[in-house]
């Protein structure tokens, strides 16, 4: 991809982006992806990220409550405290230049699989929406720590989603919408995989079969250019 074609990075003062983060978090809560106050949402900005604050119910967050965290891990003075899980968000942005938004959930079925440290294998072709032939599970570390950030970056690799052991799931994307939609795909796949395992041993797709799907997904949903 031509990196120079990317639009300039947005700023910490971008009220529209703050609003998008809030609406994504609220959609996450109302759709059942985040039980209680769990989960968080962030978006990349120039020299850092914007992330949901800790301890404020999603329904009450205002644009000024969204927290800017710089690449060096410092937050600007006079702000709310960022989500306690800001470290793995920042670590992902630093490791992955292609990621612009991150959605983290404790959604029911993904978390259940994460609690048995289960990687989701190629039991269904849609596993490829996460960018590979499996969705791996990052090893456990205490929430909010640098150790967890390292585990998450390693488990994610160059894919777009992973589970976190005894914790939940992460989905990343080029936009908040894509990261949110992928979080739902991961939750749906987790439910399907758990159900399939209850019925028996799922027949896994081969590496060749998954490579064919991954190849097709590169152009999936993209309209051919219209000749005028
Ligand atoms: Zn969490």
């Amino acid at each position: 991809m031509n990196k120079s074609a990317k639009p300039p990075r947005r700023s910490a003062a971008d009220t529209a982006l703050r609003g998008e983060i809030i609406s994504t978090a609220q959609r996450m809560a109302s759709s059942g992806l985040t039980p209680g106050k769990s989960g968080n949402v962030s978006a990349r900005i120039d020299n850092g990220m914007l992330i949901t604050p800790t301890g404020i119910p999603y329904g009450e967050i205002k644009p000024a409550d969204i927290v800017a965290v710089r690449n060096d891990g410092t937050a600007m003075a006079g702000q709310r405290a960022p989500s306690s899980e800001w470290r793995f968000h920042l670590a992902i942005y630093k490791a992955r230049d292609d990621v612009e938004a991150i959605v983290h959930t404790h959604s029911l079925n993904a978390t259940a699989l994460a609690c048995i440290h289960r990687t989701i294998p190629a039991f269904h072709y849609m596993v490829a929406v996460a960018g590979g032939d499996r969705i791996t599970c990052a090893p456990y570390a205490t929430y909010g720590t640098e150790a967890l950030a390292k585990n998450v970056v390693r488990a994610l690799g160059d894919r777009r989603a992973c589970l976190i052991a005894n914790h939940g799931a992460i989905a990343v994307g080029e936009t908040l919408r894509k990261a949110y939609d992928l979080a739902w795909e991961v939750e749906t796949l987790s439910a399907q995989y758990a159900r399939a395992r209850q019925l028996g041993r799922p027949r896994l797709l081969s590496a060749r079969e998954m490579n064919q799907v991954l190849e097709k997904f590169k152009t999936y949903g993209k309209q051919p250019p219209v000749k005028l």
Side-chain angles (χ1 to χ4, degrees), residues 181-218:
D181 287 349
L182 182 56
W184 258 115
E185 291 286 1
V186 171
E187 174 59 8
T188 303
L189 286 163
S190 299
Q192 291 165 340
Y193 181 55
R195 178 66 67 90
R197 281 185 61 92
Q198 284 174 348
L199 296 175
R201 182 184 294 209
R203 189 189 85 74
L204 302 185
L205 298 171
S206 68
R208 194 175 137 270
E209 285 164 331
M210 284 303 278
N211 280 336
Q212 284 172 345
V213 177
L214 285 160
E215 208 45 49
K216 275 174 87 83
F217 275 8
K218 285 183 185 167

Side-chain angles (χ1 to χ4, degrees), residues 39-40 85 104 106 167:
N40 33 66
E85 301 183 295
H104 165 53
H106 295 185
H167 188 153

Side-chain angles (χ1 to χ4, degrees), residues 156-178:
L156 197 57
D158 61 358
R159 292 180 295 272
R160 290 187 288 273
C162 71
L163 306 181
I164 316 172
N166 309 92
H167 188 153
I170 294 174
V172 308
E174 295 161 351
T175 63
L176 283 160
R177 183 74 215 198
K178 283 185 180 176

Side-chain angles (χ1 to χ4, degrees), residues 87-92 95 138-139 141-142 144-157 162:
R87 280 188 178 83
F88 68 64
H89 286 255
L90 195 61
I92 292 170
T142 308
T145 61
E146 206 53 56
L148 181 60
K150 282 197 179 117
N151 291 351
V152 162
V153 166
R154 202 173 301 131
L156 197 57
C162 71

